[in-house]
Amino acid sequence: MNTDRVIIFDTTLRDGEQCPGASMNLKEKLEVARQLARLNVDVMEAGFPISSPGDWESVNLIAKEVEGPTIVGLARAIEKDIEAAGTAIAPAKKKRIHTFIATSPIHMEKKLKKSPKEVLKMAVKSVKFAKTFTDDVEWSAEDAGRSEIDFLVEIVTAVIEAGATTVNIPDTVGYQMPNAYGKIFAELKARVPNINSCVLSTHCHNDLGLAVANSLSAVQNGARQIECTINGIGERAGNCSLEEAVMSLKVRSDIFGLKTGIVTEEIYRSSRLISRITGFAVQPNKAIVGANAFAHESGIHQDGVLKHASTYEIMKPEQVGVSKTNLVLGKHSGKHALKLRIEDLGYNLNDEELLKTFEKFKILADKKKEIFDEDIVTLLEEESRFAEVYSLTYLQVTAGNRTIPTSTVQIKTENGEVRFAATGDGPVDATYNAIDGIAKLKVEVSDYSIKAITRGQDAIGEVSLIATIDGKKYPGRGASTDIIEASANAYINSINRYCSAIKHKEDIEKTLKGI
Ligand code: KIV
Ligand code: ZN
């Protein structure tokens, strides 16, 4: 099928969530799924239902609650996987099963311990079984990038014959180069007799930094579906980044002559949401969504942009949802001005949410003279956090070059407010020790980073970290004009994620026991 429309298949909730430290809880997954629907992705891979009861539940919930995109469940070429995927996606209006099996010599021999003949048989059987749950069946040749082309031609012909409506050719290990990867698609187009009865799909990993380039090359050679993730998150070096692939097709439509259905103005918001939920900060120079993507530092560039934006800008920041407005709010701004600004930023709050945000806005405006759009987005994101078991109500820190850093924290818990003081190697360490004294947990922090997310000397600082609790990693993020408070909030955020994961596990166990 060669149309001028490229299907955008988002796998942030499956391949993206698979990367270490990016796991999301049920509520967060639903929030992401809703945002992906606003972004107008065509297809959303919601999870891998057989992998855990929690995954089945989240795919099922998304299938029930999220309208618009086709909802996909992933399955190996095994009946119980396909059954789990089929039952999980059942409530969706538009649903797809995505089943896969490896086709490269190394995977077939060393991992599956099966001959190509056996693999072909399993692939055909899996597609036929998936068809009993839905007409829309995608089949993937795992490690296609290192598979033999003659075998790919044979197996792709067979799965289409069995009913696959989409055939995906993944570069699972990010090994391919754009020309060679594109050639696989060109050969399949030329040699598979029934190729026009399916949509050809590309799925690239970024191990050599070529995931987007390879995906675009596949599109130039006949692929009409791109599998990708927000911010390019995913296994190892990640997947093809949705925002980069989509904007490449849009900005260079003169080359591609192709369209997507993406509402590009929702890109920045989607990126922020994924970054907040996973705790993975976006590098400042990241294309499209990085903090510097539209910043012009050198005098020559600034002068050029002021005279005519397109001298140095190949796309407008507004096109991807980055607001360039100069309207700055402050402590004299009223609720109505804030409401208009929030609406301009693409958020819709009900009266109660607006009131809560306005209260927080007033507190921030007391600390910070000018409130920029980024400050407001941070407030809104803080507001949409999942249920908090712990929240910081008081923090006092003494530190200096000749004192032992001491921190007193007060935390609101389910059993009321608790105060604790501790010393440490520095003010942040002292604060973390004090929080440990209240939460009674052993927490190890890694990947601590801090960055200014808004402008000016009184900018909001955002702390991201990964906390290991009971052997599992939980991202944490906190923002404040005070970096010790931001550090405390990030730490508490990861502890809240831990508590929510524990509670979720207990709920699932209860459900399974029928309590
Ligand atoms: O990278 C890969 O091969 C995959 C498949 C499951 C499609 O993620
Ligand atoms: Zn993958």
Side-chain angles (χ1 to χ4, degrees), residues 144-155:
R146 293 188 298 170
S147 300
E148 283 166 2
I149 188 70
D150 290 346
F151 183 52
L152 275 183
V153 168
E154 192 186 346
I155 198 165

Side-chain angles (χ1 to χ4, degrees), residues 304-319:
V305 169
L306 286 174
K307 285 180 176 142
H308 199 294
S310 46
T311 49
Y312 288 99
E313 277 181 1
I314 58 166
M315 60 197 135
K316 290 197 180 84
E318 300 91 297
Q319 275 181 296

Side-chain angles (χ1 to χ4, degrees), residues 184-403:
I184 301 175
F185 288 77
E187 286 222 28
L188 291 175
K189 277 270 174 200
R191 293 177 53 193
V192 173
N194 48 2
I195 198 75
N196 286 330
S197 351
C198 79
V199 173
L200 262 181
S201 167
T202 164
H203 176 116
C204 293
H205 282 266
N206 205 31
D207 299 66
L208 293 171
L210 291 169
V212 174
N214 284 344
S215 304
L216 295 173
S217 171
V219 164
Q220 283 183 305
N221 285 283
R224 284 297 176 269
Q225 173 174 284
I226 299 179
E227 301 198 356
C228 44
T229 60
I230 304 290
N231 296 342
I233 65 164
E235 283 272 17
R236 306 181 307 279
N239 288 56
C240 169
S241 130
L242 180 147
E243 59 278 8
E244 293 175 24
V246 165
M247 291 314 287
S248 295
L249 291 176
K250 190 172 171 107
V251 172
R252 297 313 308 266
S253 60
D254 55 327
I255 292 177
F256 295 101
L258 298 168
K259 292 192 287 267
T260 72
I262 294 295
V263 177
T264 59
E265 291 77 11
E266 289 289 331
I267 283 179
Y268 184 64
R269 213 169 132 194
S270 309
S271 164
R272 290 281 317 176
L273 178 71
I274 293 301
S275 171
R276 170 175 64 83
I277 284 181
T278 60
F280 292 162
V282 172
Q283 76 199 55
N285 58 326
K286 163 89 175 62
I288 319 292
V289 291
N292 294 345
F294 296 97
H296 302 279
E297 202 59 42
S298 93
I300 297 175
H301 287 205
Q302 283 179 352
D303 181 53
V305 169
L306 286 174
K307 285 180 176 142
H308 199 294
S310 46
T311 49
Y312 288 99
E313 277 181 1
I314 58 166
M315 60 197 135
K316 290 197 180 84
E318 300 91 297
Q319 275 181 296
V320 297
V322 173
S323 165
K324 265 276 171 103
T325 172
N326 288 323
L327 182 62
V328 177
L329 300 182
K331 73 176 186 191
H332 300 299
S333 307
K335 199 162 75 190
H336 188 62
L338 179 68
K339 182 171 185 272
L340 290 180
R341 205 64 229 110
I342 287 173
E343 281 169 3
D344 259 12
L345 290 167
Y347 291 80
N348 274 316
L349 302 191
N350 61 32
D351 287 351
E352 194 191 330
E353 289 164 338
L354 178 67
L355 198 66
K356 261 188 174 172
T357 308
F358 185 61
E359 279 163 14
K360 288 194 169 184
F361 167 82
K362 282 287 178 197
I363 295 170
L364 183 64
D366 269 342
K367 295 183 190 166
K368 199 172 182 296
K369 235 174 44 213
E370 296 177 309
I371 309 281
F372 299 101
D373 287 349
E374 309 92 283
D375 296 303
I376 297 170
V377 170
T378 306
L379 283 185
L380 292 165
E381 288 179 348
E382 292 278 300
E383 196 48 56
S384 63
R385 281 237 208 100
F386 56 92
E388 292 182 329
V389 178
Y390 297 112
S391 58
L392 184 73
T393 52
Y394 173 87
L395 172 69
Q396 194 196 328
V397 179
T398 47
N401 60 351
R402 282 164 195 269
T403 38

Side-chain angles (χ1 to χ4, degrees), residues 69-105:
T70 299
I71 308 297
V72 183
L74 182 70
R76 289 168 298 180
I78 299 175
E79 281 204 356
K80 68 173 179 10
D81 280 39
I82 296 169
E83 212 166 331
T87 51
I89 59 167
K93 279 213 179 101
K94 292 187 273 172
K95 44 183 165 272
R96 176 184 298 182
I97 292 179
H98 176 193
T99 177
F100 70 98
I101 191 162
T103 53
S104 63

Side-chain angles (χ1 to χ4, degrees), residues 467-489:
T468 305
I469 311 172
D470 276 353
K472 285 221 164 115
K473 291 184 189 306
Y474 300 90
R477 180 171 275 224
S480 168
T481 48
D482 175 333
I483 58 171
I484 310 294
E485 190 181 353
S487 303
N489 283 335

